[in-house]
Amino acid sequence: MNDVTTQPVTGSATTTIAAPISAVFAAVTDTTRMGEWSPECVACRWVDDATGPTVGAKFEGDNVAAVGPVTLKLWTTTSEVIDIEANASFEFIAEGYPTWRYEFAERDGATVVTESFSYPPYAGWQKLVYGRLLNRSKGMTTGMQATLNRIKESLEH
């Protein structure tokens, strides 16, 4: 039996932030602030003369994977903005692999923000290590919820 699948791996997290949609959108699309909130991405900067979020703009993100105080891996990715619609959506692709998307909706004066990811399924040794042993998609979903919770805390104070 062949267990090869072509369905993308996906995950999402959602929170409601008691702040205007324009403020939430501005915070999330200012990728230079992601290091304040993400448990994995510790710093970002616009590159190639980009100064903000527009389709085609690129930014680098410094990432860390750690277990407690022990750093397991450090890496930097270059991402490209592939969709942005004011107060509605922000999407980028990291080095041609995972796609990250934020969607925004106004509800009763607050903002509902959903973060999601999608990437092709792992194959070979990566399927065993990242897919089964490390359950990477579950870790990414947990990380997204932590990020959204930190954004919420930051914008509501």
Side-chain angles (χ1 to χ4, degrees), residues 11-136:
S12 66
T14 301
T15 196
T16 300
I17 301 173
I21 196 168
S22 60
V24 177
F25 182 82
V28 169
T29 60
D30 179 0
T31 60
T32 64
R33 296 191 67 190
M34 194 51 64
E36 296 174 40
W37 305 312
S38 173
E40 184 171 289
C41 181
V42 296
C44 281
R45 66 208 149 271
W46 295 104
V47 295
D48 297 339
D49 298 322
T51 58
T54 59
V55 171
K58 294 183 179 178
F59 61 93
E60 290 179 336
D62 300 326
N63 304 282
V64 62
V67 175
V70 179
T71 298
L72 302 175
K73 181 179 175 183
L74 296 169
W75 71 102
T76 299
T77 58
T78 301
S79 296
E80 181 177 349
V81 177
I82 57 174
D83 176 59
I84 186 164
E85 183 180 339
N87 301 329
S89 62
F90 176 58
E91 185 173 18
F92 58 90
I93 188 164
E95 303 212 343
Y97 189 56
T99 300
W100 297 90
R101 183 171 180 83
Y102 292 85
E103 294 178 324
F104 307 84
E106 193 168 18
R107 184 181 302 147
D108 301 325
T111 303
V112 178
V113 60
T114 299
E115 181 181 4
S116 61
F117 67 82
S118 176
Y119 60 85
Y122 292 117
W125 69 268
Q126 290 180 323
K127 182 176 182 176
L128 174 65
V129 174
Y130 293 116
R132 291 201 179 128
L133 296 176
L134 298 177
N135 198 353
R136 180 73 174 134

